[in-house]
Amino acid sequence: MERKKLRRVGILTSGGDAPGMNAAIRACVRNCLQHDIAPIGIRRGYQGLIHADTVEMDARSVNGITDRGGTILYTARSEDFMTSEGLDRAVSTIKYMGIDGLVCIGGDGTFRGAKTLADKGVNVVGIPATIDNDIGCSHYTIGFDTAANTAMLAIDKLADTMQSHERVSVVEVMGRHAGHLAVYVGLAVGATSIIIPEFPFNFDRDVIEQIREGRMRDKHHHLIIVAEGVGKCDEISRGITEQTGLEARVSILGYIQRGGSPSARDRVMASRMGHFAIEQLATDNGNSIVCYRDSRILAVPIDKAMTMTKQLDAYMYKVAYDVTI
């Protein structure tokens, strides 16, 4: 049986923005044009899909966007899409617009939405873009490298002034319920202690004793990295002051980690993944998630991808503690 010609592909970004999303959009658009497919931008994620907030894209519409953070298609979280009525309206938009395939760029919530569309017969491909790096099927997600570098540079500057005043810095980095970013950044900046949701921590052993050992080595600044999913930064700060007499200050980096021009790695990975996503649709291999595994870009069927989990790199966590001495 002759395969149906792909005529129009929708492209959307959903959930939290991540540096590199624009590079993925650009690669999708440009590769669509290589296959004589019309790329349709869907603004504001699934909410825009419900309301048919679309724009026809061409090669010029994605000129000069690779170095820009955020997403030119905007993003939003949609409670309407989580209802059966909203889902039906989204499917109706896809049919009305003549969209033959859909590329969904985002994180876990985005992929759950893509899965519901796939169950309704929509041909979808997901691209992992989240600074948390917490997508189970992919060893790397777009935006992680830029966020890590942004946090590292901010903490390096913070350390300069904290060391001058011999203070303790308690720094919260993003990551929701995953500690990948905290461990990576903590190792990069030489943190005294890294507190993450994956491992229960003992305050006296993992924080106070680490600080005391550092003081015995004539260390004048102590850096405690706390993953967002743990929180309790104020509580940790007070405990440090009460038990050591050192002044502790809390810094929450927050959304600064999501912004800024994407790193070279994120631009390249996003371009590769965006190009591969269109190849999947063009060869009738949709209903999958584009993944980076074992140094390769590949596709995992969406049903399987949604059941996969990712473990924290325990060795990196050990290295971070061993080399802080």
Side-chain angles (χ1 to χ4, degrees), residues 145-219:
D145 187 65
T146 306
N149 278 284
T150 298
M152 180 188 70
L153 292 173
I155 292 168
D156 284 348
K157 293 177 181 180
L158 177 66
D160 290 340
T161 186
M162 287 299 198
Q163 184 165 332
S164 298
H165 293 274
E166 299 182 280
R167 291 171 178 156
V168 179
S169 303
V170 180
V171 182
E172 181 184 281
V173 300
M174 296 183 82
R176 290 191 304 172
H177 306 300
H180 305 285
L181 186 62
V183 172
Y184 197 88
V185 171
L187 178 56
V189 300
T192 301
S193 182
I194 304 170
I195 301 171
I196 56 177
E198 287 87 346
F199 297 133
F201 77 99
N202 180 289
F203 181 70
D204 289 332
R205 180 194 66 208
D206 299 331
V207 179
I208 299 303
E209 286 305 315
Q210 292 289 100
I211 291 174
R212 285 174 176 159
E213 286 186 20
R215 293 183 73 183
M216 290 175 64
R217 299 190 303 274
D218 201 32
K219 191 173 183 179

Side-chain angles (χ1 to χ4, degrees), residues 207-284:
V207 179
I208 299 303
E209 286 305 315
Q210 292 289 100
I211 291 174
R212 285 174 176 159
E213 286 186 20
R215 293 183 73 183
M216 290 175 64
R217 299 190 303 274
D218 201 32
K219 191 173 183 179
H220 299 287
H221 171 240
H222 308 277
L223 177 61
I224 313 300
I225 298 293
V226 183
E228 179 187 16
V230 175
K232 302 181 180 179
C233 287
D234 289 331
E235 182 181 325
I236 292 168
S237 176
R238 285 194 300 269
I240 291 170
T241 300
E242 290 170 1
Q243 295 197 40
T244 67
L246 295 172
E247 184 179 2
R249 296 283 182 91
V250 174
S251 297
I252 298 176
L253 299 185
Y255 287 102
I256 189 175
Q257 295 158 94
R258 280 191 180 169
S261 181
S263 66
R265 185 180 188 191
D266 277 328
R267 297 184 197 191
V268 171
M269 289 294 293
S271 298
R272 292 175 65 189
M273 287 182 169
H275 184 277
F276 191 82
I278 300 304
E279 291 298 307
Q280 290 300 109
L281 289 172
T283 55
D284 202 24

Side-chain angles (χ1 to χ4, degrees), residues 65-83:
I65 67 170
T66 305
D67 63 339
R68 291 169 57 181
T71 162
I72 64 166
L73 292 177
Y74 308 108
T75 182
R77 303 187 192 278
S78 177
E79 293 184 5
D80 293 338
F81 184 74
M82 299 172 67
T83 67

